[in-house]
Amino acid sequence: MMNSLWIAKTGMTAQQTQLDVISHNLANVSTTGFKRNRAEFQDLIYQNLRQVGAQTTEENQLPTGLHLGLGVNVVATSRNFTQGGLQQSGNNLDVAINGDGFFEITLPDGTTGYTRDGSFQLDAQGRIVTSGGLPVAPGITVPAGTKSISISENGEVSAIVAGSVAPQPLGSLSMSSFVNSAGLQPVGQNMFKESAASGAPQQGTPGTNGLGIVRQGFLETSNVNVVEELVNMIQTQRAYEMNSKAIQTSDQMLAKLSQM
């Protein structure tokens, strides 16, 4: 079998994966706090038909070798954690991180999840939860009869309760950062989990130790650039077509060979 058939097949498969990544980015262009993904490619093993530097005579060496590559493979999808735009929502429970860091969320199994999505709400018990109903760490409950809620830049939550003019402190939002945020494991619902690649979470107060500040009444938009993704989509389509053309050409060459 001609190697070009297999090589072009790996190219088509890799471009299919690239298109999946681009489609996922475009599908989440309106998702709060979403961070775009990028497929990373790697060339496959080489057939070493002529070793570079081999001796041709006792005194001479080959300046170049003969190495035939066997295609390409997608080895990873890296996530770009650049800051998304801040969009004013007017909702007192909407908060955005301006800078580095993640909100801590208590997952159903008791472990901690991490998110940039600050579209929080209140549940039936008055707890501050995510749009999926998961409690925001460390567990803040808003008392009944609350007239207004304030969240400072350093994450302190306070409320003015009916019959009182002084704000009542309710707690502080927990935030963490990671040495390698790209190593976090995505689990859906705008959530990530700690992994061996991300390193341990480094907890802190918003606005300190490199953590961003909290902006009440704002939401962080997706950092997907639609124009850039469309350009990547066209490039992917062209690369797929060229690999398909290589398979057709190889097939025609084999047909000619069988007629000889």
Side-chain angles (χ1 to χ4, degrees), residues 54-124:
Q55 296 288 141
T56 56
T57 66
E58 292 183 358
E59 299 178 353
N60 299 319
Q61 290 180 327
L62 291 174
T64 59
L66 178 56
H67 306 99
L68 297 181
L70 295 180
V72 65
N73 188 31
V74 178
V75 295
T77 53
S78 62
R79 192 174 298 271
N80 185 337
F81 276 95
T82 56
Q83 176 81 42
L86 299 187
Q87 186 176 49
Q88 190 170 10
S89 66
N91 186 348
N92 284 338
L93 286 176
D94 285 342
V95 288
I97 301 174
N98 188 12
D100 190 22
F102 298 84
F103 295 115
E104 295 183 1
I105 308 298
T106 303
L107 301 179
D109 60 1
T111 60
T112 302
Y114 303 90
T115 185
R116 296 277 300 189
D117 182 2
S119 53
F120 300 146
Q121 302 175 26
L122 296 180
D123 65 4

Side-chain angles (χ1 to χ4, degrees), residues 159-176:
I160 296 180
V161 184
S164 175
V165 294
Q168 175 183 339
L170 304 179
S172 298
L173 297 175
S174 297
M175 278 183 59
S176 293

Side-chain angles (χ1 to χ4, degrees), residues 193-252:
K193 295 189 73 173
E194 173 191 351
S195 73
S198 67
Q202 301 174 359
Q203 295 180 323
T205 302
T208 63
N209 299 325
L211 291 173
I213 61 173
V214 174
R215 297 293 304 274
Q216 184 182 16
F218 288 81
L219 289 175
E220 181 184 8
T221 61
S222 167
N223 68 351
V224 174
N225 186 316
V226 176
V227 175
E228 182 180 349
E229 296 299 328
L230 291 177
V231 171
N232 291 338
M233 183 185 295
I234 295 172
Q235 181 181 9
T236 300
Q237 181 183 11
R238 296 293 178 264
Y240 189 92
E241 291 173 353
M242 292 302 100
N243 280 285
S244 175
K245 183 64 176 178
I247 290 180
Q248 295 176 17
T249 302
S250 298
D251 181 62
Q252 293 171 2

